[in-house]
Amino acid sequence: MASSVLPTPLLKDELDIVIPTIRNLDFLEMWRPFFQPYHLIIIQDGDPSKKINVPEGFDYELYNRNDINRILGPKASCISFKDSACRCFGFMVSKKKYIYTIDDDCFVAKDPSGKEINALQQHIKNLLSPSTPYFFNTLYDPYAEGADFVRGYPFSLREGAPTAVSHGLWLNIPDYDAPTQLVKPMERNTRYVDAVLTIPKGTLFPMCGMNLAFDRELIGPAMYFGLMGDGQPIGRYDDMWAGWCTKVICDHLGLGVKTGLPYIWHSKASNPFVNLKKEYKGIFWQEDLIPFFQAVSLPKDCTTVQKCYIELSKQFKEKFGKVDDYFNKLGDAMVTWIEAWDELNPSAAAALPNGPAK
Amino acid sequence: MAAAPSPSSVKPVPLLKDELDIVIPTIRNLDFLEMWRPFFEQYHLIIVQDGDPSKTIKVPEGFDYELYNRNDINRILGPKASCISFKDSACRCFGYMVSKKNMLQVAKDPSGKDINALEQHIKNLLSPSTPHFFNTLYDPYREGTDFVRGYPFSLREGVPTAVSHGLWLNIPDYDAPTQLVKPHERNTRYVDAVLTIPKGTLFPMCGMNLAFDRELIGPAMYFGLMGDGQPIGRYDDMWAGWCMKVICDHLGLGVKTGLPYIWHSKASNPFVNLKKEYKGIFWQEDIIPFFQSATLPKECTSVQKCYIELSKQVKEKLGAIDPYFVKLADAMVTWIEAWDELNSPSDTNSSKKANGAPLPAAAK
């Protein structure tokens, strides 16, 4: 029998798993068979004096708020506090090519045959195969086993574009906003959709940070999760913010974004009343933010992610700075983020003396 | 044990049996209809008989139908019949033109499963589409799902759905080169999703399992000049799909793809297919950028106006590639003229009888 299916590489020395937490890391026990080969970067949110217990046998570095302040100095102002947005600090200090980030209330899901889903393996498959943003393939990911491009798909587009982001989904508690949670508290996502597909160029989407992987070398600097949580007028828009910026930049640079498999099992429904307070302003603001991102265009000389991001921050501040002072702060934070990123990730090949593990 | 579903959660799907026609192009026979009988029997069939008009196509007992062969097409359209392809399933669009119903579904020789494809197509057409922003849980109007966090509220009404594009299990719809390279590949993956193809994105529309709202988009469903006497085949539905999507994007209509699946049982001959597709493989490299960058002026407020404008741009921009495109552009105009003639506002069922009167079943 011809081996048409190559084993998926582990990439264990090329991928970091970034986990923001304020509680504990018990969920890691269930993931142990899948995660143990990998290095973890744990971002401890909230009270830095609390001790977060990491289960035995995992290789990890852990950063609390004191570490973030120490490493970034004044630039630490761009990293959110008391919000899972702080996870992006982990993206910045990582030295690896790929990142997988997952929430601490996400567990291993089962596929319809009852088999446990190796989410990380599927994300790796997604990232290592091209995307197809320029023309929609009706059989979804043409690089999946047993599938291909359909009749009528232009041949010149069949090499695809490099994949920058792999956006996974969730069974059980769906990622709904507060109004929807209030109206449909009992709804559970039980539908397993066996597909990975590329989100077409020019189309935005709501990017959820619960089960997300990306190529840090291709798109890392765009994965800034904004100013949320403590002292900020808004929450639960961190991943949305990163998603809008990331997609605009990916479209500009010719990179692909996939969504679909893998599924994880989302166990904890957050409190919808708390969520409404956090999201409240966002519900109104997004009506203006989204048309901004839909219409934004980046000049040709923005040839790197950083240049794109700085340009975005300029256009954003210009358009929204007068609407609310928060947007001025956010625009500045975007610049601070890029400065911090470049400091911690100089383009020279020399290894970095910064970013020590605890 | 879950509580009984709330009354509003599961609505019976309307049969729409007086509002929907099933259009079937055929050159062989209609034996496959036996398998679809439980689902199709309540609907009116429009059978477009391709090839030799003197051959009798036997329709299984109990179906309500009208049948048109080439002689009928010539009689009804006169000189305009030139826009309807011969010896190619593209002739199906004649059925779209003569139908008096709002919504149509095309069935092409499947050997069925227990999926009520028609019911799913109807569900797709009767619920809105979401072309302006991608919902990561796919069709938000399906039971058990919704818009996700971060989906702008102002876009949650969606837009009217013009097209429902179904898929196929077993023999996938591959082009000739792919068929030659992977003759044994079968599509065994049932993807339980319906999704809207975003605005600004084109796709390869397959005519095998397709439903659409004739009132919203009918005139755009012209399947081009293919088959006998033409330099190309197997691009009929592709052509219709490109034109249709550009027009839907312009008019704010939605196109869905995904469920339902039908079972595609017959693999066409890849060598024959290669001969038919050959020119298309090269031409599409220019055709697709043309459609991707086509823009329609604001004054194009109806499908017909959009289509006529497109035909002008086709002639202007693609005419240089091959004289075929000049013919095709002219045929696009002929099609719209024929459509408007057969579908004038004063048209009623009685005038339909005068034109496309069905052949008596027993006629030889």
Side-chain angles (χ1 to χ4, degrees):
Chain A
M1 174 185 107
S3 66
S4 56
V5 180
L6 297 166
T8 307
L10 267 183
L11 300 183
K12 63 179 181 65
D13 297 321
E14 295 172 70
L15 184 146
D16 278 337
I17 302 178
V18 173
I19 306 164
T21 187
I22 202 162
R23 279 179 286 266
N24 62 61
L25 293 163
D26 297 346
F27 85 114
L28 279 177
E29 274 311 328
M30 197 190 188
W31 287 102
R32 187 183 286 276
F34 305 115
F35 284 5
Q36 202 158 3
Y38 299 90
H39 181 71
L40 312 183
I41 296 181
I42 297 155
I43 310 296
Q44 177 184 337
D45 200 9
D47 181 4
S49 64
K50 176 178 172 183
K51 178 137 186 5
I52 298 281
N53 188 26
V54 184
E56 283 286 330
F58 282 99
D59 169 46
Y60 71 95
E61 52 195 282
L62 187 146
Y63 300 91
N64 62 27
R65 192 70 206 185
N66 296 338
D67 299 309
I68 295 172
N69 290 337
R70 174 174 49 85
I71 292 168
L72 294 185
K75 294 194 179 67
S77 60
C78 75
I79 304 296
S80 301
F81 185 57
K82 289 277 195 68
D83 192 288
S84 62
C86 64
R87 75 179 78 218
C88 65
F89 177 77
F91 306 160
M92 192 193 279
V93 298
S94 165
K95 300 286 154 259
K96 304 284 172 52
K97 181 159 161 62
Y98 301 99
I99 296 283
Y100 175 48
T101 184
I102 184 172
D103 279 11
D104 61 12
D105 59 353
C106 295
F107 293 82
V108 179
K110 292 196 165 96
D111 70 20
S113 74
K115 186 166 170 244
E116 287 197 336
I117 299 170
N118 185 344
L120 196 41
Q121 187 186 62
Q122 182 64 52
H123 276 298
I124 290 170
K125 274 188 191 171
N126 293 348
L127 290 171
L128 293 184
S129 60
S131 296
T132 52
Y134 305 115
F135 206 84
F136 190 87
N137 192 46
T138 48
L139 284 185
Y140 313 107
D141 186 354
Y143 306 103
E145 290 127 46
D148 212 308
F149 291 96
V150 296
R151 173 176 59 95
Y153 202 102
F155 286 87
S156 61
L157 295 180
R158 296 194 187 196
E159 270 191 65
T163 302
V165 179
S166 168
H167 177 265
L169 297 175
W170 351 272
L171 290 170
N172 193 39
I173 308 286
D175 187 25
Y176 287 163
D177 50 64
T180 311
Q181 279 179 299
L182 288 163
V183 169
K184 294 176 154 195
M186 305 304 293
E187 189 151 275
R188 297 292 177 264
N189 186 23
T190 55
R191 185 176 285 127
Y192 183 91
V193 179
D194 188 5
V196 178
L197 59 127
T198 299
I199 301 179
K201 178 177 177 175
T203 302
L204 295 178
F205 75 113
M207 185 179 85
C208 173
M210 264 198 269
N211 173 23
L212 182 72
F214 58 91
D215 184 320
R216 207 176 147 277
E217 277 176 21
L218 284 183
I219 199 63
M223 286 290 189
Y224 173 50
F225 274 45
L227 288 172
M228 305 279 145
D230 221 50
Q232 308 298 344
I234 191 174
R236 284 177 49 95
Y237 272 86
D238 52 332
D239 41 9
M240 298 301 134
W241 179 260
W244 300 330
C245 294
T246 290
K247 187 57 162 64
V248 165
I249 293 173
C250 281
D251 285 352
H252 176 79
L253 295 177
L255 302 171
V257 174
K258 291 182 179 177
T259 185
L261 302 180
Y263 283 89
I264 48 89
W265 180 267
H266 185 210
S267 66
K268 193 175 173 306
S270 39
N271 182 305
F273 298 93
V274 171
N275 288 345
L276 184 56
K277 286 192 184 143
K278 293 181 182 179
E279 292 173 10
Y280 178 74
K281 289 201 160 168
I283 287 172
F284 300 94
W285 284 345
Q286 77 186 355
E287 294 297 334
D288 293 310
L289 291 172
I290 279 163
F292 164 76
F293 282 104
Q294 284 175 326
V296 82
S297 74
L298 300 167
K300 274 209 182 96
D301 45 17
C302 290
T303 48
T304 66
V305 179
Q306 288 92 324
K307 285 183 185 158
C308 290
Y309 205 75
I310 296 292
E311 174 63 26
L312 251 187
S313 74
K314 285 190 192 135
Q315 293 191 29
F316 174 68
K317 254 182 107 171
E318 213 175 283
K319 189 106 201 271
F320 288 94
K322 297 187 183 73
V323 172
D324 192 291
D325 192 49
Y326 169 71
F327 296 125
N328 271 317
K329 276 172 52 183
L330 180 54
D332 290 339
M334 289 169 78
V335 177
T336 305
W337 160 263
I338 294 295
E339 289 171 353
W341 182 284
D342 283 345
E343 238 177 69
L344 290 179
N345 299 281
S347 44
L352 192 63
N354 291 348
K358 194 156 170 94
Chain B
M1 163 78 182
S6 66
S8 61
S9 63
V10 179
K11 293 192 175 72
V13 179
L15 279 179
L16 301 177
K17 60 183 179 63
D18 298 321
E19 295 172 65
L20 188 147
D21 282 338
I22 300 177
V23 175
I24 306 165
T26 187
I27 201 160
R28 277 180 289 269
N29 62 60
L30 293 161
D31 296 347
F32 82 103
L33 278 177
E34 277 308 330
M35 187 159 292
W36 287 95
R37 188 184 284 276
F39 305 120
F40 284 9
E41 205 167 21
Q42 304 192 60
Y43 298 91
H44 180 71
L45 310 184
I46 296 182
I47 297 158
V48 185
Q49 177 184 339
D50 201 6
D52 180 4
S54 65
K55 176 178 173 186
T56 299
I57 298 282
K58 189 172 178 312
V59 184
E61 283 285 332
F63 283 98
D64 168 45
Y65 72 96
E66 51 196 285
L67 186 146
Y68 300 91
N69 62 27
R70 191 71 208 184
N71 294 339
D72 298 308
I73 294 172
N74 290 339
R75 174 175 47 85
I76 293 167
L77 293 185
K80 294 192 179 69
S82 62
C83 74
I84 303 297
S85 301
F86 185 59
K87 291 274 197 69
D88 189 287
S89 64
C91 65
R92 75 181 75 216
C93 62
F94 177 78
Y96 305 162
M97 191 194 278
V98 295
S99 167
K100 292 293 153 243
K101 306 283 172 48
N102 192 12
M103 285 173 276
L104 305 176
Q105 165 154 336
V106 175
K108 184 188 170 166
D109 301 352
S111 56
K113 241 190 143 189
D114 273 322
I115 301 171
N116 189 343
L118 205 38
E119 186 184 73
Q120 183 64 54
H121 277 301
I122 291 170
K123 278 186 188 171
N124 292 348
L125 290 171
L126 294 185
S127 60
S129 296
T130 52
H132 301 297
F133 206 85
F134 191 86
N135 192 48
T136 48
L137 285 185
Y138 312 108
D139 186 344
Y141 305 103
R142 282 185 83 193
E143 293 129 42
T145 189
D146 212 307
F147 290 96
V148 296
R149 173 177 57 99
Y151 202 101
F153 286 89
S154 62
L155 294 180
R156 296 193 188 198
E157 270 192 66
V159 302
T161 301
V163 177
S164 168
H165 177 266
L167 297 175
W168 351 270
L169 291 171
N170 193 39
I171 309 286
D173 186 26
Y174 287 164
D175 49 65
T178 311
Q179 279 180 301
L180 288 163
V181 169
K182 296 176 155 194
H184 294 302
E185 189 151 274
R186 297 291 176 264
N187 185 21
T188 55
R189 184 178 285 119
Y190 183 90
V191 178
D192 188 4
V194 180
L195 60 127
T196 299
I197 301 180
K199 178 176 178 175
T201 302
L202 296 178
F203 75 114
M205 183 179 87
C206 174
M208 264 201 267
N209 175 21
L210 183 71
F212 58 92
D213 185 322
R214 205 175 152 280
E215 273 178 18
L216 284 182
I217 200 62
M221 285 300 195
Y222 173 51
F223 275 43
L225 287 172
M226 306 279 146
D228 224 50
Q230 307 300 343
I232 189 174
R234 283 182 44 100
Y235 272 87
D236 53 334
D237 40 9
M238 298 300 134
W239 183 261
W242 299 326
C243 294
M244 176 278 293
K245 186 59 162 58
V246 166
I247 293 174
C248 280
D249 285 352
H250 176 80
L251 295 177
L253 303 171
V255 176
K256 291 183 179 177
T257 186
L259 302 183
Y261 281 88
I262 51 102
W263 183 265
H264 186 207
S265 62
K266 189 175 176 306
S268 39
N269 182 306
F271 297 93
V272 170
N273 288 345
L274 184 57
K275 286 194 184 140
K276 293 181 181 177
E277 293 173 7
Y278 179 73
K279 289 203 159 164
I281 287 173
F282 300 94
W283 286 348
Q284 76 187 357
E285 296 296 332
D286 291 308
I287 295 172
I288 279 162
F290 162 75
F291 280 105
Q292 283 174 327
S293 57
T295 58
L296 300 167
K298 277 206 180 97
E299 312 87 63
C300 291
T301 49
S302 68
V303 179
Q304 288 92 325
K305 286 183 183 155
C306 290
Y307 205 76
I308 296 293
E309 173 62 28
L310 254 187
S311 74
K312 289 187 188 140
Q313 296 185 21
V314 166
K315 208 176 217 181
E316 206 178 289
K317 299 215 170 100
L318 298 179
I321 298 176
D322 193 281
Y324 167 74
F325 290 104
V326 178
K327 269 174 58 179
L328 180 55
D330 288 339
M332 289 169 78
V333 176
T334 305
W335 161 262
I336 293 295
E337 290 172 353
W339 182 284
D340 282 345
E341 242 177 66
L342 287 181
N343 294 284
S344 59
S346 57
D347 214 21
T348 60
N349 274 337
S350 59
S351 68
K352 166 198 161 184
K353 287 261 185 294
N355 287 348
L359 294 179
K364 283 254 186 271

